Amino acid sequence: MSHYKIIISGGGTGGHIFPAISIANELRRRFPDAEILFVGAKGRMEMERVPAAGYEILGLPVCGFNRAHILKNFSVIIRLIRSLRMAGKIIRDFKPDIAVGVGGYASGPTLWKASSLRVPVLIQEQNSYAGVTNRLLAGRAAGICVAYRGMDKFFPAGRTVITGNPVRKDIEDLRGKDPEAMNYFGLETGRPVLLVVGGSLGARTINRGVLRGLRSLLDAGTQVIWQTGRNYYDSVRDELRDADCRGLWFSDFISRMDYAYAAADLVVSRAGAGTISELCLLGKPAILVPSPNVSEDHQTRNARALSDNNAAVLIPDGVAGEQLAATAAGLIGNSEQLHSLSEHISLFAQYNSTERIVDKIIGIIEAK
């Protein structure tokens, strides 16, 4: 059997959408006749990104709970009830062989209704600390794909497999790209390179920390590749308008992240699951500044899984503005510590993650 029918549900952030599309692409590569339907949350970015990748998506009115103001959640509950009803209709009409959840608002009602209608369910948990939705769904799942060791404290051990998170193909293989990368950013070979990324929108504290210490970093011979994010590019550009910025490349977005990684001796980043998977795969020394604005403080937990094992340096967001540049300067000049961080973070790498997740999906379908 190769005419599989598969629902993939979730989204909300790029960290959920990219793995979902990667899984769909691998399914389509192996089984060109497979029917793949996405289910997302109306108004979230998956409703644009998924069709742009060539897949059909249906939207549910589901949204997140307001944890700060419990009384404002009446409309959230109404939306959840409507979403469960709509998800049931989608599943009855599409008749999938399996429903795959990648996290995000829509995955909850979709996977709940799928399991209620006896459709096998697979969960892909990207973080080191399982979210509430996936913990609730775990008992109903035929399989759970995770990226970190020790996840059986959240999920049934017999159904949990370590696969890692999908990583972009251009980033998986960086061999031989170093000279091209240095030319791309206009940097000199033989001098250390610090890569700073704070996500597509940017990270205020990371940017503030870089601005505060940029002059001393450049004066010490460190070259800097800096993705400011869309929200902060104009202010950074204005701040640096009259400065001597030799050795600095900055922009709101880096379109060639493979080159950026290839050039970097040290990376400063948030601690999203996808980024960490890339850093582990590449063995890149990293300073992680977890975002405080994510549910259940996932990013701090992701970063601690590495920093507790000497595989990364963790700087809390609240002190990054003051400590980031000095920490980066001290680390990038210490080749022994960089080598140690690289060795330890490489131990967390998972290879061919997308292929292994798809193997699990097909195994569950065929077992049914």
Side-chain angles (χ1 to χ4, degrees):
M1 174 185 177
S2 63
H3 189 75
Y4 300 122
K5 300 182 75 173
I6 297 157
I7 279 179
I8 301 176
S9 184
T13 66
H16 289 135
I17 297 165
F18 171 75
I21 292 172
S22 292
I23 291 166
N25 289 343
E26 177 64 14
L27 283 163
R28 180 174 277 178
R29 185 187 71 79
R30 290 197 208 178
F31 309 105
D33 294 334
E35 291 182 60
I36 300 170
L37 175 66
F38 280 76
V39 180
K42 287 180 179 177
R44 305 293 289 185
M45 68 168 70
E46 61 263 27
M47 302 307 293
E48 295 180 6
R49 297 281 182 87
V50 169
Y55 297 98
E56 181 184 359
I57 186 168
L58 299 176
L60 304 179
V62 65
C63 62
F65 279 92
N66 188 326
R67 301 183 189 207
H69 303 94
I70 301 299
L71 296 178
K72 293 185 178 180
N73 285 313
F74 181 74
S75 64
V76 176
I77 294 169
I78 298 299
R79 284 172 174 242
L80 177 60
I81 293 168
R82 285 179 56 211
S83 295
L84 284 163
R85 192 180 304 124
M86 290 171 67
K89 184 177 188 310
I90 289 168
I91 290 157
R92 283 189 290 269
D93 290 348
F94 187 66
K95 298 180 174 61
D97 297 300
I98 193 168
V100 179
V102 297
Y105 300 142
S107 65
T110 305
L111 268 61
W112 188 271
K113 290 303 292 188
S115 63
S116 300
L117 294 169
R118 300 186 180 278
V119 174
V121 161
L122 179 133
I123 293 168
Q124 200 251 324
E125 173 58 66
Q126 293 137 24
N127 293 292
S128 65
Y129 187 87
V132 172
T133 301
N134 282 347
R135 297 203 300 271
L136 290 172
L137 291 167
R140 294 169 167 246
I144 303 154
C145 295
V146 300
Y148 291 86
R149 296 185 287 270
M151 296 298 284
D152 49 3
K153 62 178 173 282
F154 303 111
F155 301 130
R159 281 175 275 156
T160 302
V161 58
I162 298 178
T163 58
N165 293 318
V167 171
R168 289 169 283 187
K169 287 296 182 188
D170 62 336
I171 285 170
E172 253 186 272
D173 185 7
L174 294 185
R175 286 184 293 277
K177 289 190 178 179
D178 301 54
E180 298 170 40
M182 299 299 277
N183 289 334
Y184 181 85
F185 293 105
L187 304 177
E188 294 180 25
T189 56
R191 289 171 54 200
V193 177
L194 175 67
L195 168 63
V196 182
V197 285
S200 58
L201 297 180
R204 183 173 59 88
T205 50
I206 290 178
N207 287 335
R208 194 172 70 218
V210 174
L211 265 178
R212 175 174 288 194
L214 182 62
R215 184 73 269 148
S216 60
L217 283 165
L218 295 176
D219 287 347
T222 297
Q223 302 177 102
V224 179
I225 300 170
W226 183 8
Q227 178 182 292
T228 64
R230 191 167 67 239
N231 289 350
Y232 300 95
Y233 176 73
D234 290 342
S235 61
V236 169
R237 183 193 56 201
D238 293 344
E239 186 87 18
L240 300 177
R241 191 179 302 278
D242 299 318
D244 177 4
C245 291
R246 281 173 293 183
L248 169 67
W249 183 99
F250 74 98
S251 180
D252 61 332
F253 183 72
I254 300 174
S255 58
R256 291 299 304 261
M257 274 303 297
D258 56 337
Y259 280 172
Y261 279 134
D265 297 290
L266 175 64
V267 180
V268 172
S269 174
R270 288 301 199 191
T275 298
I276 286 184
S277 293
E278 293 172 351
L279 293 170
C280 293
L281 199 64
L282 299 174
K284 287 291 174 181
I287 297 172
L288 301 174
V289 184
S291 170
N293 306 312
V294 294
S295 63
E296 299 176 271
D297 205 15
H298 277 140
Q299 290 203 5
T300 296
R301 298 173 192 269
N302 291 345
R304 279 199 184 131
L306 297 181
S307 64
D308 287 351
N309 290 280
N310 300 314
V313 174
L314 190 163
I315 299 181
D317 186 81
V319 299
E322 292 73 36
Q323 296 182 11
L324 180 57
T327 304
L331 187 52
I332 205 164
N334 187 331
S335 58
E336 189 175 317
Q337 193 174 359
L338 288 177
H339 180 71
S340 175
L341 287 170
S342 177
E343 282 195 329
H344 284 97
I345 199 171
S346 296
L347 297 175
F348 287 81
Q350 295 289 335
Y351 296 88
N352 304 313
S353 296
T354 310
E355 292 88 339
R356 290 156 68 188
I357 292 166
V358 169
D359 288 344
K360 185 69 176 173
I361 291 169
I362 299 307
I364 290 170
I365 293 174
E366 293 182 347
K368 182 188 74 168

